[in-house]
């Protein structure tokens, strides 16, 4: 692994917040383990191993029932580790893949049968080399017959440029980590207001209210990110998802305790109804009822 790589928390606390029955960790990854699942030659980072057994152990420890395993860029378009984890998880796991335009219908069908229900389009320059938008459109068209959704990862400064493209995409679009707002600028900043407006005007756009540990400027317990999540959850409670982001790729400042992250949930989804939608109803509708 990279010399400055931070490994996931070895001993997360048991959360005080009791998750509702059937709760879904809708944003997590597996890394390897290599050499069984080698990392991609074109990767931008080399992580520690963090395989499915560890992920499922964490799921049970925290009190989740299900996982949505999102392909991590360190595995490029080789989805084997993620698909293997989905197969091992059975009906308790779903996946989101990274694919190229050359993907065939048979390959998509095989992944669908393993539990994959979406693709991820990544625009974060430190993670991937750029993909032409026409390629993403081609992929988006190919997945329609399977009813899959699309996860999009970008940073706040890129939203204005990406908006026309996002509006062009068919089906449900899920924006990772609220489009990574610049928390130092505050929730009233035009960039975050633009993101809210995008969700207001496009009912097919969902978001993950995830990763306070990445977005915070002041650090734990991430008080500065709370207003951002509340604005989104209060306004779009039927279009939000939550996940741990385990094993937390590329964290440099600190490694969060996953149990403490679960304890953060009632700060951002404040009623039992919001919590149920965020953790159960919404992810089930998107990833299991299709
Ligand atoms: C995340 C965030 C990151 C990495 C990846 O696939 C990935 O490598 O998603 C990041 O470095 O911000 O959502 O896990």
């Amino acid at each position: 692994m990279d010399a400055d790589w931070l490994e996931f928390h070895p001993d997360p606390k048991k959360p005080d917040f009791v998750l509702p029955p059937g709760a879904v960790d809708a944003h997590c990854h597996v890394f390897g383990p290599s050499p069984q699942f080698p990392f991609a030659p074109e990767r931008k980072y080399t992580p520690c191993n963090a395989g499915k057994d560890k992920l499922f152990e964490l799921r049970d420890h925290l009190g989740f029932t299900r996982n949505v395993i999102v392909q991590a860029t360190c595995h490029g378009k080789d989805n084997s580790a993620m698909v293997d984890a989905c197969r091992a998880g059975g009906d308790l796991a779903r996946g989101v893949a990274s694919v190229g335009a050359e993907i065939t219908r048979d390959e998509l069908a095989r992944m669908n049968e393993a539990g994959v229900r979406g693709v991820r389009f990544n625009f974060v320059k430190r993670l991937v080399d750029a993909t032409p938008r026409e390629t993403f459109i081609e992929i988006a068209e190919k997945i329609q017959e399977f009813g899959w959704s699309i996860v999009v990862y970008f940073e706040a400064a890129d939203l204005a440029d990406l908006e026309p493209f996002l509006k062009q995409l068919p089906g449900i679009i899920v924006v990772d980590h609220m489009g990574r707002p610049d928390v130092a600028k505050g929730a009233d900043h035009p960039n975050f207001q633009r993101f809210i407006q995008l969700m207001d005007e496009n009912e097919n756009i969902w978001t993950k209210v995830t990763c306070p540990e990445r977005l915070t400027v002041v650090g734990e317990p991430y008080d500065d990110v709370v207003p951002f999540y509340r604005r989104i959850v209060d306004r779009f409670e039927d279009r939000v998802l939550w996940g741990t982001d385990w094993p937390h790729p590329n964290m440099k400042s600190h490694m969060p305790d996953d149990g403490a992250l679960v304890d953060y949930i009632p700060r951002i989804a404040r009623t039992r109804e919001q919590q149920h939608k965020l953790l159960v109803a919404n992810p089930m509708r998107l990833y299991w009822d299709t």
Side-chain angles (χ1 to χ4, degrees), residues 27 29 45 71-73 120 126-127 153 177 180 214 245 249-250:
H27 186 87
H29 312 283
Y45 62 86
Q71 173 75 355
T73 58
R120 191 184 199 201
R126 76 184 151 77
L127 292 173
Y153 193 17
H177 322 325
R180 293 200 59 129
R214 273 183 205 290
D245 195 31
N250 303 306

Side-chain angles (χ1 to χ4, degrees), residues 241-259:
L241 301 172
W242 192 89
T244 54
D245 195 31
W246 188 90
H248 309 285
N250 303 306
M251 283 301 295
K252 299 296 176 214
S253 54
H254 68 294
M255 182 51 59
D257 176 323
D258 299 279

Side-chain angles (χ1 to χ4, degrees), residues 78-96:
D78 176 356
N79 293 283
S80 334
M82 181 274 292
V83 166
D84 172 72
C86 284
R87 287 193 189 283
D91 195 45
L92 301 183
R94 292 289 186 261
V96 174

Side-chain angles (χ1 to χ4, degrees), residues 142-158:
K142 282 191 183 187
I143 63 170
Q144 289 312 301
E145 79 166 282
F146 296 95
W148 289 7
S149 52
I150 300 170
V151 169
V152 183
Y153 193 17
F154 59 85
E155 294 178 323
D158 296 325

Side-chain angles (χ1 to χ4, degrees), residues 106-159:
D106 279 359
E107 288 168 320
L108 290 174
R110 270 199 299 279
M111 284 200 279
N112 189 65
E113 178 263 321
V116 175
R117 293 290 183 274
V119 288
R120 191 184 199 201
F121 297 165
N122 202 323
F123 292 92
V124 179
K125 296 171 193 74
R126 76 184 151 77
L127 292 173
V128 285
D129 294 328
T131 299
R133 292 181 191 181
E134 310 81 70
T135 304
F136 282 142
I137 299 282
E138 224 180 296
I139 296 165
E141 282 163 2
K142 282 191 183 187
I143 63 170
Q144 289 312 301
E145 79 166 282
F146 296 95
W148 289 7
S149 52
I150 300 170
V151 169
V152 183
Y153 193 17
F154 59 85
E155 294 178 323
D158 296 325
L159 175 58

Side-chain angles (χ1 to χ4, degrees), residues 204-220:
N204 65 324
I205 299 189
W206 294 34
T207 193
K208 295 179 194 165
V209 284
T210 33
C211 287
E213 73 283 3
R214 273 183 205 290
L215 302 178
T216 186
V217 179
V218 300
E220 292 172 294

